[in-house]
PDB file of all heavy atoms in Angstrom:
ATOM      1  N   THR A1007     202.444  51.960 -96.003  1.00  0.00           N
ATOM      2  CA  THR A1007     202.972  50.597 -95.964  1.00  0.00           C
ATOM      3  C   THR A1007     203.606  50.347 -94.614  1.00  0.00           C
ATOM      4  O   THR A1007     204.155  51.339 -93.992  1.00  0.00           O
ATOM      5  CB  THR A1007     203.912  50.327 -97.073  1.00  0.00           C
ATOM      6  OG1 THR A1007     205.016  51.243 -97.019  1.00  0.00           O
ATOM      7  CG2 THR A1007     203.308  50.427 -98.460  1.00  0.00           C
ATOM      8  N   ALA A1008     203.535  49.135 -94.116  1.00  0.00           N
ATOM      9  CA  ALA A1008     204.094  48.871 -92.812  1.00  0.00           C
ATOM     10  C   ALA A1008     204.490  47.394 -92.732  1.00  0.00           C
ATOM     11  O   ALA A1008     204.088  46.568 -93.558  1.00  0.00           O
ATOM     12  CB  ALA A1008     203.081  49.119 -91.712  1.00  0.00           C
ATOM     13  N   LYS A1009     205.409  47.100 -91.803  1.00  0.00           N
ATOM     14  CA  LYS A1009     205.811  45.698 -91.593  1.00  0.00           C
ATOM     15  C   LYS A1009     205.127  45.133 -90.392  1.00  0.00           C
ATOM     16  O   LYS A1009     204.957  45.834 -89.338  1.00  0.00           O
ATOM     17  CB  LYS A1009     207.362  45.684 -91.379  1.00  0.00           C
ATOM     18  CG  LYS A1009     207.908  44.266 -91.175  1.00  0.00           C
ATOM     19  CD  LYS A1009     209.394  44.259 -91.060  1.00  0.00           C
ATOM     20  CE  LYS A1009     210.084  44.573 -92.373  1.00  0.00           C
ATOM     21  NZ  LYS A1009     211.509  44.455 -92.324  1.00  0.00           N
ATOM     22  N   VAL A1010     204.679  43.936 -90.501  1.00  0.00           N
ATOM     23  CA  VAL A1010     204.001  43.221 -89.397  1.00  0.00           C
ATOM     24  C   VAL A1010     205.078  42.824 -88.387  1.00  0.00           C
ATOM     25  O   VAL A1010     206.068  42.108 -88.713  1.00  0.00           O
ATOM     26  CB  VAL A1010     203.278  41.940 -89.860  1.00  0.00           C
ATOM     27  CG1 VAL A1010     202.644  41.258 -88.687  1.00  0.00           C
ATOM     28  CG2 VAL A1010     202.220  42.348 -90.905  1.00  0.00           C
ATOM     29  N   VAL A1011     204.932  43.258 -87.113  1.00  0.00           N
ATOM     30  CA  VAL A1011     205.899  42.986 -86.078  1.00  0.00           C
ATOM     31  C   VAL A1011     205.478  41.826 -85.238  1.00  0.00           C
ATOM     32  O   VAL A1011     206.291  40.967 -84.841  1.00  0.00           O
ATOM     33  CB  VAL A1011     206.092  44.243 -85.192  1.00  0.00           C
ATOM     34  CG1 VAL A1011     207.015  43.949 -84.000  1.00  0.00           C
ATOM     35  CG2 VAL A1011     206.655  45.356 -86.013  1.00  0.00           C
ATOM     36  N   ALA A1012     204.166  41.726 -84.952  1.00  0.00           N
ATOM     37  CA  ALA A1012     203.669  40.625 -84.105  1.00  0.00           C
ATOM     38  C   ALA A1012     202.186  40.378 -84.361  1.00  0.00           C
ATOM     39  O   ALA A1012     201.434  41.288 -84.790  1.00  0.00           O
ATOM     40  CB  ALA A1012     203.847  40.965 -82.641  1.00  0.00           C
ATOM     41  N   VAL A1013     201.798  39.113 -84.229  1.00  0.00           N
ATOM     42  CA  VAL A1013     200.353  38.740 -84.371  1.00  0.00           C
ATOM     43  C   VAL A1013     200.003  37.887 -83.169  1.00  0.00           C
ATOM     44  O   VAL A1013     200.655  36.843 -82.939  1.00  0.00           O
ATOM     45  CB  VAL A1013     200.173  37.965 -85.699  1.00  0.00           C
ATOM     46  CG1 VAL A1013     198.713  37.617 -85.856  1.00  0.00           C
ATOM     47  CG2 VAL A1013     200.625  38.760 -86.872  1.00  0.00           C
ATOM     48  N   HIS A1014     198.943  38.286 -82.484  1.00  0.00           N
ATOM     49  CA  HIS A1014     198.533  37.509 -81.282  1.00  0.00           C
ATOM     50  C   HIS A1014     197.035  37.639 -81.151  1.00  0.00           C
ATOM     51  O   HIS A1014     196.342  38.260 -81.960  1.00  0.00           O
ATOM     52  CB  HIS A1014     199.324  37.937 -80.094  1.00  0.00           C
ATOM     53  CG  HIS A1014     199.456  39.434 -79.868  1.00  0.00           C
ATOM     54  ND1 HIS A1014     198.393  40.234 -79.547  1.00  0.00           N
ATOM     55  CD2 HIS A1014     200.568  40.233 -80.088  1.00  0.00           C
ATOM     56  CE1 HIS A1014     198.874  41.486 -79.491  1.00  0.00           C
ATOM     57  NE2 HIS A1014     200.131  41.515 -79.788  1.00  0.00           N
ATOM     58  N   ASP A1015     196.528  37.136 -80.007  1.00  0.00           N
ATOM     59  CA  ASP A1015     195.085  37.115 -79.822  1.00  0.00           C
ATOM     60  C   ASP A1015     194.462  38.486 -79.756  1.00  0.00           C
ATOM     61  O   ASP A1015     193.302  38.655 -80.134  1.00  0.00           O
ATOM     62  CB  ASP A1015     194.766  36.373 -78.476  1.00  0.00           C
ATOM     63  CG  ASP A1015     195.015  34.869 -78.589  1.00  0.00           C
ATOM     64  OD1 ASP A1015     195.173  34.340 -79.732  1.00  0.00           O
ATOM     65  OD2 ASP A1015     195.122  34.225 -77.546  1.00  0.00           O
ATOM     66  N   ARG A1016     195.201  39.472 -79.266  1.00  0.00           N
ATOM     67  CA  ARG A1016     194.633  40.787 -79.153  1.00  0.00           C
ATOM     68  C   ARG A1016     194.646  41.607 -80.419  1.00  0.00           C
ATOM     69  O   ARG A1016     193.929  42.604 -80.508  1.00  0.00           O
ATOM     70  CB  ARG A1016     195.385  41.564 -78.022  1.00  0.00           C
ATOM     71  CG  ARG A1016     195.238  40.958 -76.644  1.00  0.00           C
ATOM     72  CD  ARG A1016     196.063  41.660 -75.612  1.00  0.00           C
ATOM     73  NE  ARG A1016     195.704  43.093 -75.573  1.00  0.00           N
ATOM     74  CZ  ARG A1016     196.449  43.995 -74.939  1.00  0.00           C
ATOM     75  NH1 ARG A1016     197.668  43.691 -74.475  1.00  0.00           N
ATOM     76  NH2 ARG A1016     196.045  45.286 -74.876  1.00  0.00           N
ATOM     77  N   GLY A1017     195.456  41.242 -81.393  1.00  0.00           N
ATOM     78  CA  GLY A1017     195.477  41.980 -82.624  1.00  0.00           C
ATOM     79  C   GLY A1017     196.807  41.893 -83.359  1.00  0.00           C
ATOM     80  O   GLY A1017     197.642  41.040 -83.004  1.00  0.00           O
ATOM     81  N   ILE A1018     197.016  42.725 -84.299  1.00  0.00           N
ATOM     82  CA  ILE A1018     198.170  42.737 -85.170  1.00  0.00           C
ATOM     83  C   ILE A1018     198.957  44.040 -84.908  1.00  0.00           C
ATOM     84  O   ILE A1018     198.439  45.120 -84.967  1.00  0.00           O
ATOM     85  CB  ILE A1018     197.735  42.726 -86.666  1.00  0.00           C
ATOM     86  CG1 ILE A1018     196.913  41.475 -86.983  1.00  0.00           C
ATOM     87  CG2 ILE A1018     198.977  42.800 -87.582  1.00  0.00           C
ATOM     88  CD1 ILE A1018     196.125  41.549 -88.307  1.00  0.00           C
ATOM     89  N   GLU A1019     200.235  43.813 -84.585  1.00  0.00           N
ATOM     90  CA  GLU A1019     201.108  44.969 -84.351  1.00  0.00           C
ATOM     91  C   GLU A1019     201.938  45.233 -85.561  1.00  0.00           C
ATOM     92  O   GLU A1019     202.579  44.374 -86.152  1.00  0.00           O
ATOM     93  CB  GLU A1019     201.974  44.732 -83.119  1.00  0.00           C
ATOM     94  CG  GLU A1019     201.221  44.589 -81.803  1.00  0.00           C
ATOM     95  CD  GLU A1019     202.129  44.524 -80.608  1.00  0.00           C
ATOM     96  OE1 GLU A1019     202.907  45.468 -80.435  1.00  0.00           O
ATOM     97  OE2 GLU A1019     202.046  43.512 -79.876  1.00  0.00           O
ATOM     98  N   LEU A1020     202.045  46.499 -85.945  1.00  0.00           N
ATOM     99  CA  LEU A1020     202.836  46.949 -87.079  1.00  0.00           C
ATOM    100  C   LEU A1020     203.904  47.908 -86.639  1.00  0.00           C
ATOM    101  O   LEU A1020     203.823  48.495 -85.568  1.00  0.00           O
ATOM    102  CB  LEU A1020     201.938  47.608 -88.116  1.00  0.00           C
ATOM    103  CG  LEU A1020     200.675  46.842 -88.535  1.00  0.00           C
ATOM    104  CD1 LEU A1020     199.754  47.717 -89.375  1.00  0.00           C
ATOM    105  CD2 LEU A1020     201.078  45.590 -89.350  1.00  0.00           C
ATOM    106  N   ASP A1021     204.920  48.124 -87.516  1.00  0.00           N
ATOM    107  CA  ASP A1021     205.952  49.036 -87.125  1.00  0.00           C
ATOM    108  C   ASP A1021     205.528  50.511 -87.282  1.00  0.00           C
ATOM    109  O   ASP A1021     206.151  51.426 -86.665  1.00  0.00           O
ATOM    110  CB  ASP A1021     207.264  48.781 -87.897  1.00  0.00           C
ATOM    111  CG  ASP A1021     207.134  49.014 -89.373  1.00  0.00           C
ATOM    112  OD1 ASP A1021     206.022  49.090 -89.897  1.00  0.00           O
ATOM    113  OD2 ASP A1021     208.220  49.110 -90.049  1.00  0.00           O
ATOM    114  N   ARG A1022     204.486  50.762 -88.040  1.00  0.00           N
ATOM    115  CA  ARG A1022     203.947  52.118 -88.230  1.00  0.00           C
ATOM    116  C   ARG A1022     202.473  51.954 -88.633  1.00  0.00           C
ATOM    117  O   ARG A1022     202.018  50.930 -89.121  1.00  0.00           O
ATOM    118  CB  ARG A1022     204.738  52.847 -89.341  1.00  0.00           C
ATOM    119  CG  ARG A1022     204.736  52.206 -90.711  1.00  0.00           C
ATOM    120  CD  ARG A1022     205.967  52.481 -91.491  1.00  0.00           C
ATOM    121  NE  ARG A1022     206.130  53.922 -91.802  1.00  0.00           N
ATOM    122  CZ  ARG A1022     205.796  54.542 -92.925  1.00  0.00           C
ATOM    123  NH1 ARG A1022     205.242  53.832 -93.906  1.00  0.00           N
ATOM    124  NH2 ARG A1022     206.035  55.837 -93.088  1.00  0.00           N
ATOM    125  N   THR A1023     201.710  53.086 -88.385  1.00  0.00           N
ATOM    126  CA  THR A1023     200.295  52.955 -88.700  1.00  0.00           C
ATOM    127  C   THR A1023     199.648  54.340 -88.948  1.00  0.00           C
ATOM    128  O   THR A1023     200.117  55.366 -88.455  1.00  0.00           O
ATOM    129  CB  THR A1023     199.556  52.274 -87.554  1.00  0.00           C
ATOM    130  OG1 THR A1023     198.212  51.945 -87.944  1.00  0.00           O
ATOM    131  CG2 THR A1023     199.458  53.157 -86.267  1.00  0.00           C
TER     132      THR A1023
END
Side-chain angles (χ1 to χ4, degrees):
T1007 57
K1009 182 177 289 186
V1010 178
V1011 175
V1013 180
H1014 43 73
D1015 290 345
R1016 294 177 60 196
I1018 301 164
E1019 295 188 57
L1020 307 170
D1021 65 343
R1022 60 208 299 259
T1023 191

